[in-house]
Amino acid sequence: MRMNFQSKKMSGSASKDRMIAKFMQLTATGEKTASFCLSIHGWKLDEACDYYFSNPEKYARDHKQQIMVDRKKIQHLFDRYRDPSADVVSVSSSHDGLLRFFQDIQLDVYSINALIFSWRLGVVVQGQITREEFTNGLMALGCDSVDKLKSRVSQLDNDIRHPTKFKDFYQYTFTFAKDTGAKNLGIEDALRTWKIVLAGRFSHLEDWCTFIAQHDRRSITRDTWNLLLDFASTINSDLSNYDEEGAWPILIDEFVGWLRPRINTSTSSAMS
Amino acid sequence: NIWRDEMLDKIHEQLVSAILHDITCDRRGVSTHSAILRDVIHSFVEVQSHEEPQGSVIELYRELFEERLLANTREFYQREAQKLYENCTVSEYMNRVIERLDQEEDRLRKFIYHTSIAPCKKECVMKMIADYEHILLDEFKLMLRDDRIEDLSRLYILIRRLNQGCKRMADMFHEHIYEKGKGSIELMNSGCSPQEYVDSLLLVFTKFVTMVRENLSNDRTFADALDSSMTKIVNSTSDTKRYPRSSELLVRHADHILRKGAKYISLSEVEERLRKFIDLFKYVEDKDLFQKFYGKKLANRLIHNTSLSWDLEETAINGLKDRCGYEYTSPLQRMIIDMKLSDDLTKELDQYLKDNNSPLPVSFSVNILQSGAWPFAGGPTAPTEGGAAATPEFNIPSDLAICIDKFKEFYSLKHTGRRLKFVFPLSCGSVVINYTLRQYTVIMSVYQAVAFLPFQSAESLTKEELQKASGLEMGELEKCLSAFTESNLVVKEQGTPDSPVSYKLNTAYSNRKAKFKLQASVVKEANEKEVTTAYQSVDEDRRIYIQAVIVRSMKSRKQLKHNDLIQEVISMSKNRFAPSISMIKKCVEVLIEKQYIERLSSDKDTYQYLA
């Protein structure tokens, strides 16, 4: 009996450790935070993660600068890449600070990681990072040097692992991709961005892009953009649970109308 | 219980057989001992009620008698129905069955205990009607085709006893009416006259509404079938993108009825036609389109004084109001009020002129139109509907100028702070012609009168001279000149190398009527254009209306689920038109983009009002 009791205890703590590790990976937090949040929420991983994301400050138990981040170093880093004429790191043709910066931290400009990075920094205008965005962003990422950034960049996909985080990121990319003054996003930019951010998350992505390219709409509204994620995540690939009279935007209704016959012919030809 | 044990238990079988035998005889028309029969049958119940007065008293009755009675009834009427069916026409069959049913009812009430009446009747109905339902309903089609209305009444009496029988019969009724109505739909699509269309509709409608009332007992199910069929007929459209022309045709028909100068028909006949018109109106789904047409026609009648009578106009409008409510007809009623007020105003003007001893050079009257209610634009710079350009300028003849100034003086004393805009395109004047053999009074539009007046000083004028004198813009002048030449009042003379084209008064002009209105073909074009504009603007008006409803609903409810919002919009639009869900969704999207409403981030199916 004793042995059983002992082994139970051991497996209990081992699974807790695994859970802590998983939590840390999902939320990019430290061990103290992870164990605190999990213990409050009955060691249920998904629940704890949800609660964490909705209120990170509440659970933060690790010393804010567990990895010591030097604000001054960040400022110097900024100055290395900044434009001579404005207090930003940008893609201006004379100086190209932004491209050099991305190259140095090994961030591929056309990858999803570049978008995630921009999202973490809260970049408002494409093609430039302000001093404030740069500083606050790097502090939040816990990086004050090119080396630290290189390592952090390789883990960026963790930041969007949780659905709530991904949703926030996805909605951000609309604002980021469009012209700052415009309300809506042009078709070309929309397609380009979707292909990057929804790859692997939307079974009908290719069809959607084909449909949009030949449609006469010239821009995408924020509402349609946002709802596309709901569509990708909740609608079956045979469209069986789609309700045309429901709260979906008209463009998505039209997509379903366009797609349905194509699906039916391909399944029937597959059967014959 | 001695009676039960000694008597009933031993002989009940023969007793019941004897009873049933007697009942069968009665059914066959042979007289029986009705009093005895009744007492014996009731005795089964009494026996039990003696035993247990508080409990159920019909157990014994049921067990010994009722079951066998029902079986007997069933068999009898099955045979009876078979016999009748084999030997009679369907008409006779129905007659005989009705007879049988009535007889059986009497019989049952005479003899048996009351709890058996309903089950027995049901057996009769099942065997004589339900079993033959499909045959009867097949015959129904023939009855409709051949107008056999008595048979229809009989069929109704029988079929209504079946569960959902009326529904099945009414569905066939609906189909039949729609078939008959297809002719009207074709007429509508082929460009017929309003009279033809309305006559064909009324032919169908009157026939079947009479049928429902007189042969089908005004049964609700059939009345509804008629309504839904008529709705389908009146609103059918071959091309889903276009609106059915029924609104336009009905309004033009009403216009003919309400106009002066129609064939001499009595007041009561006019009122009858109006009633029928309202009956058909209730089937129109695009009531907003109807209102547009009606308003335009009404405005025309009022302005050009071609209305038969204001009372009749009000009768018609009240008919519309009964169906659609006060808000729907209030602009129409306002127009009539404006006319009445203008009448009073004219009298006051006359008094004012008398009091001030300043008579006008010509007789002059003004109709004041409240700009919101009339289908013409009110603003000083807005163009008038129908595609006409903004009011062209012209040199106002001195007589007219005096009248206008005097009127403005009078009106500003009466109502300070109101702005008057003279709408010349709608105004007309009468010109007296004295250069012909007979004197004629010609009613023409103000522009035409202004173009004509220069002939007071010269018999023949060139276009340029006319333009200089009248001050009209060339396009407008040319329209007037073509009206003059079309009517033969003026003759166009070919130019010679020395002198240009000129227009000369036709001193030999003659007309049957001493007083007449100058027609112009341009008027017809303008009317057609108005119609096209009306169809084009309806979609936009509906979008605006739906958006307003959405904003109002969201403002008062703060939050609404998608389905609830849709239902709300549909119910609020019911009196004007039937919005499609897709149109409503488009409007929702527009409002989200304009940030009047937003989706909840936690629930994409719920909308929230943004203050």
Side-chain angles (χ1 to χ4, degrees):
Chain A
M1 278 238 331
R2 242 210 211 153
M3 277 233 330
N4 279 344
F5 180 77
Q6 285 237 336
S7 58
K8 235 197 212 165
K9 195 171 163 200
M10 268 178 60
S11 62
S13 63
S15 76
K16 276 188 184 167
D17 286 339
R18 271 203 296 281
M19 232 184 261
I20 290 177
K22 195 101 180 112
F23 186 97
M24 282 168 65
Q25 190 189 42
L26 286 169
T27 61
T29 54
E31 195 183 328
K32 289 213 182 100
T33 311
S35 118
F36 174 62
C37 187
L38 280 164
S39 63
I40 289 190
H41 295 293
W43 293 94
K44 296 196 188 109
L45 182 63
D46 287 329
E47 207 179 294
C49 281
D50 275 342
Y51 275 105
Y52 174 79
F53 284 122
S54 43
N55 214 339
E57 288 76 47
K58 194 168 160 190
Y59 302 97
R61 281 289 173 278
D62 297 289
H63 192 50
K64 279 249 158 132
Q65 266 108 357
Q66 189 190 34
I67 314 158
M68 296 303 290
V69 186
D70 188 342
R71 202 184 179 89
K72 270 215 163 80
K73 276 171 102 170
I74 294 179
Q75 300 287 5
H76 287 317
L77 201 58
F78 181 79
D79 291 328
R80 256 170 62 190
Y81 295 98
R82 60 163 281 197
D83 258 24
S85 47
D87 205 20
V88 295
V89 174
S90 81
V91 293
S92 76
S93 48
S94 58
H95 205 241
D96 243 357
L98 190 59
L99 283 173
R100 281 192 296 118
F101 177 57
F102 275 21
Q103 269 167 6
D104 289 348
I105 60 175
Q106 289 174 347
L107 187 58
D108 178 1
V109 171
Y110 298 110
S111 69
I112 193 172
N113 280 344
L115 285 170
I116 302 176
F117 188 73
S118 305
W119 168 62
R120 287 309 309 263
L121 262 58
V123 170
V124 169
V125 178
Q126 248 191 86
Q128 75 176 36
I129 307 176
T130 65
R131 184 183 289 274
E132 202 177 318
E133 287 164 2
F134 191 92
T135 314
N136 294 337
L138 265 64
M139 294 284 287
L141 289 172
C143 299
D144 57 9
S145 73
V146 167
D147 284 328
K148 285 183 187 165
L149 277 167
K150 270 193 215 167
S151 129
R152 190 65 181 81
V153 157
S154 62
Q155 293 172 357
L156 278 174
D157 54 327
N158 277 334
D159 292 18
I160 54 168
R161 205 173 286 265
H162 194 275
T164 317
K165 283 293 180 184
F166 182 80
K167 184 170 169 182
D168 191 61
F169 163 68
Y170 174 78
Q171 293 190 350
Y172 165 81
T173 57
F174 177 87
T175 318
F176 182 74
K178 70 174 175 64
D179 297 332
T180 325
K183 211 179 202 180
N184 296 334
L185 176 60
I187 293 291
E188 300 301 322
D189 293 330
L191 287 171
R192 196 171 21 86
T193 313
W194 274 323
K195 286 176 180 156
I196 300 175
V197 305
L198 287 181
R201 291 176 185 261
F202 181 17
S203 59
H204 292 299
L205 179 59
E206 203 180 310
D207 283 322
W208 171 256
C209 292
T210 312
F211 169 74
I212 291 291
Q214 47 100 98
H215 198 279
D216 54 12
R217 281 257 192 122
R218 299 276 53 135
S219 69
I220 300 288
T221 63
R222 185 183 292 274
D223 189 56
T224 305
W225 179 273
N226 289 350
L227 269 289
L228 189 66
L229 181 60
D230 286 79
F231 182 85
S233 354
T234 59
I235 297 297
N236 299 337
S237 77
D238 64 355
L239 306 177
S240 50
N241 59 341
Y242 187 83
D243 176 12
E244 270 94 357
E245 297 185 348
W248 298 101
I250 297 277
L251 191 59
I252 298 184
D253 286 341
E254 288 175 9
F255 172 62
V256 170
W258 174 90
L259 185 61
R260 269 223 165 90
R262 296 167 113 86
I263 290 183
N264 291 337
T265 47
S266 67
T267 48
S268 56
S269 63
M271 279 157 66
S272 62
Chain B
N1 194 306
I2 307 176
W3 182 263
R4 185 209 279 249
D5 298 334
E6 295 306 317
M7 281 287 285
L8 286 186
D9 271 1
K10 299 224 166 72
I11 65 160
H12 71 90
E13 272 201 43
Q14 293 124 292
L15 181 58
V16 170
S17 298
I19 295 173
L20 292 178
H21 172 85
D22 262 20
I23 291 185
T24 307
C25 288
D26 190 273
R27 284 174 178 155
R28 294 221 178 96
V30 175
S31 67
T32 50
H33 313 109
S34 38
I36 300 178
L37 214 44
R38 182 194 166 77
D39 288 342
V40 171
I41 292 173
H42 278 69
S43 73
F44 289 107
V45 178
E46 281 174 32
V47 161
Q48 198 166 17
S49 74
H50 270 297
E51 281 181 355
E52 18 177 328
Q54 305 307 327
S56 158
V57 297
I58 56 174
E59 289 310 316
L60 191 65
Y61 170 78
R62 257 217 202 118
E63 189 189 318
L64 295 183
F65 179 67
E66 192 185 67
E67 266 188 56
R68 288 184 62 185
L69 170 67
L70 291 178
N72 174 285
T73 310
R74 196 179 309 137
E75 274 166 36
F76 180 84
Y77 282 107
Q78 185 170 324
R79 279 197 305 268
E80 182 69 11
Q82 176 101 14
K83 201 170 67 181
L84 287 173
Y85 174 64
E86 279 165 10
N87 295 316
C88 300
T89 64
V90 174
S91 298
E92 281 168 20
Y93 180 89
M94 291 195 294
N95 248 341
R96 299 293 295 277
V97 167
I98 291 176
E99 246 176 49
R100 275 298 189 184
L101 287 172
D102 285 341
Q103 281 171 5
E104 186 69 17
E105 172 116 20
D106 287 342
R107 183 172 304 119
L108 295 173
R109 289 190 189 283
K110 241 190 328 192
F111 299 141
I112 65 172
Y113 193 66
H114 67 89
T115 56
S116 300
I117 295 182
C120 269
K121 276 168 71 172
K122 183 154 177 233
E123 293 296 339
C124 300
V125 165
M126 289 310 287
K127 290 292 131 195
M128 291 199 289
I129 308 177
D131 285 354
Y132 291 83
E133 185 186 352
H134 65 285
I135 296 174
L136 291 170
L137 286 181
D138 275 346
E139 189 75 11
F140 180 42
K141 291 191 193 127
L142 298 175
M143 291 178 210
L144 285 171
R145 187 195 69 190
D146 299 334
D147 278 337
R148 285 154 48 188
I149 52 179
E150 280 128 17
D151 279 347
L152 274 169
S153 305
R154 289 180 200 128
L155 182 64
Y156 172 70
I157 292 172
L158 294 180
I159 293 284
R160 69 191 290 219
R161 289 167 176 251
L162 297 179
N163 189 17
Q164 299 279 18
C166 277
K167 175 83 177 42
R168 288 188 287 278
M169 194 173 155
D171 285 346
M172 292 174 68
F173 189 56
H174 170 106
E175 275 306 304
H176 177 83
I177 299 176
Y178 182 67
E179 278 304 311
K180 291 289 168 188
K182 275 185 178 167
S184 302
I185 301 175
E186 267 170 44
L187 269 182
M188 174 180 84
N189 286 332
S190 70
C192 62
S193 77
Q195 190 66 45
E196 284 176 301
Y197 178 66
V198 170
D199 284 345
S200 80
L201 276 182
L202 283 175
L203 205 61
V204 173
F205 175 70
T206 315
K207 174 172 181 165
F208 292 108
V209 86
T210 313
M211 195 180 278
V212 170
R213 198 177 51 235
E214 292 175 5
N215 307 112
L216 299 168
S217 285
N218 239 348
D219 187 300
R220 178 90 251 161
T221 317
F222 290 91
D224 287 347
L226 171 64
D227 282 345
S228 87
S229 198
M230 287 301 296
T231 306
K232 210 168 147 189
I233 294 168
V234 168
N235 294 295
S236 115
T237 166
S238 48
D239 177 357
T240 44
K241 284 201 183 283
R242 297 188 52 208
Y243 289 97
R245 286 186 61 224
S246 38
S247 302
E248 187 200 327
L249 290 169
L250 279 174
V251 168
R252 281 166 60 190
H253 171 75
D255 187 58
H256 289 152
I257 302 175
L258 291 163
R259 213 172 245 281
K260 272 188 223 172
K263 292 194 287 269
Y264 298 111
I265 48 177
S266 66
L267 183 64
S268 57
E269 209 185 314
V270 171
E271 285 174 341
E272 177 62 29
R273 288 192 189 182
L274 275 181
R275 265 194 293 276
K276 291 187 176 153
F277 159 72
I278 299 290
D279 278 340
L280 292 178
F281 165 72
K282 79 170 187 265
Y283 296 120
V284 172
E285 262 174 6
D286 301 315
K287 293 199 164 70
D288 53 349
L289 184 59
F290 185 96
Q291 185 197 42
K292 256 194 210 291
F293 284 130
Y294 195 89
K296 290 213 167 113
K297 286 290 186 194
L298 174 64
N300 265 324
R301 286 196 297 277
L302 294 174
I303 294 284
H304 295 115
N305 198 21
T306 50
S307 234
L308 203 48
S309 96
W310 287 346
D311 281 345
L312 281 173
E313 296 285 358
E314 288 192 318
T315 307
I317 292 174
N318 283 334
L320 300 179
K321 182 169 72 171
D322 284 342
R323 298 235 60 101
C324 288
Y326 170 74
E327 223 184 291
Y328 183 77
T329 50
S330 79
L332 305 173
Q333 297 196 298
R334 179 74 224 182
M335 287 196 244
I336 301 207
I337 292 176
D338 279 350
M339 297 307 291
K340 290 185 176 170
L341 289 177
S342 298
D343 237 13
D344 294 341
L345 204 69
T346 308
K347 294 193 185 104
E348 287 176 40
L349 174 68
D350 285 341
Q351 189 62 46
Y352 174 81
L353 295 169
K354 233 185 249 161
D355 291 348
N356 288 314
N357 204 14
S358 48
L360 296 174
V362 291
S363 68
F364 181 74
S365 69
V366 176
N367 287 325
I368 305 277
L369 315 179
Q370 192 192 57
S371 60
W374 293 75
F376 318 117
T381 49
T384 55
E385 276 201 34
T391 314
E393 296 276 348
F394 55 86
N395 299 339
I396 301 185
S398 56
D399 284 351
L400 184 57
I402 295 174
C403 293
I404 290 179
D405 288 338
K406 208 63 185 166
F407 183 81
K408 280 185 178 163
E409 182 190 293
F410 156 73
Y411 196 78
S412 60
L413 285 176
K414 204 167 147 54
H415 298 286
T416 50
R418 281 193 190 174
R419 196 178 56 187
L420 290 176
K421 176 185 178 265
F422 278 83
V423 189
F424 291 116
L426 297 173
S427 309
C428 57
S430 26
V431 176
V432 175
I433 298 180
N434 285 312
Y435 59 82
T436 44
L437 216 55
R438 277 171 66 195
Q439 189 186 72
Y440 294 104
T441 306
V442 189
I443 302 170
M444 25 175 115
S445 77
V446 163
Y447 298 138
Q448 287 164 343
V450 164
F452 201 71
L453 286 178
F455 286 107
Q456 272 179 325
S457 41
E459 205 180 307
S460 172
L461 292 166
T462 66
K463 221 191 266 189
E464 289 66 35
E465 288 170 328
L466 278 166
Q467 188 183 36
K468 192 148 175 247
S470 67
L472 280 170
E473 181 230 359
M474 187 51 89
E476 190 61 47
L477 176 63
E478 281 171 352
K479 272 197 262 180
C480 299
L481 288 174
S482 70
F484 297 152
T485 49
E486 253 176 53
S487 64
N488 230 2
L489 277 170
V490 162
V491 172
K492 185 172 168 182
E493 300 201 311
Q494 283 312 314
T496 64
D498 315 317
S499 54
V501 171
S502 66
Y503 292 86
K504 186 171 174 196
L505 291 177
N506 178 10
T507 48
Y509 179 83
S510 78
N511 192 320
R512 267 183 310 131
K513 300 192 205 159
K515 183 171 179 182
F516 57 91
K517 188 167 170 178
L518 186 65
Q519 296 295 353
S521 51
V522 285
V523 172
K524 231 188 171 181
E525 280 166 33
N527 282 342
E528 278 158 19
K529 222 172 172 187
E530 266 187 9
V531 168
T532 328
T533 320
Y535 282 119
Q536 283 165 354
S537 60
V538 170
D539 266 345
E540 188 55 34
D541 289 344
R542 286 182 179 183
R543 266 189 279 272
I544 294 176
Y545 182 85
I546 292 177
Q547 286 180 28
V549 169
I550 295 175
V551 171
R552 261 205 317 271
S553 304
M554 291 305 304
K555 191 168 180 180
S556 79
R557 315 284 218 82
K558 303 295 177 207
Q559 268 189 21
L560 262 184
K561 287 202 84 69
H562 172 83
N563 285 340
D564 293 335
L565 180 61
I566 301 279
Q567 287 313 314
E568 180 92 354
V569 172
I570 290 178
S571 98
M572 300 253 79
S573 314
K574 218 168 44 184
N575 270 345
R576 299 186 65 84
F577 61 98
S580 68
I581 293 192
S582 124
M583 191 183 233
I584 300 177
K585 281 178 68 163
K586 284 201 183 100
C587 292
V588 167
E589 268 193 72
V590 166
L591 291 174
I592 291 180
E593 226 190 302
K594 290 189 179 168
Q595 295 177 305
Y596 280 87
I597 59 178
E598 66 177 359
R599 289 180 206 265
L600 291 186
S601 52
S602 50
D603 175 16
K604 74 169 205 321
D605 291 320
T606 303
Y607 304 107
Q608 182 161 262
Y609 181 69
L610 288 174

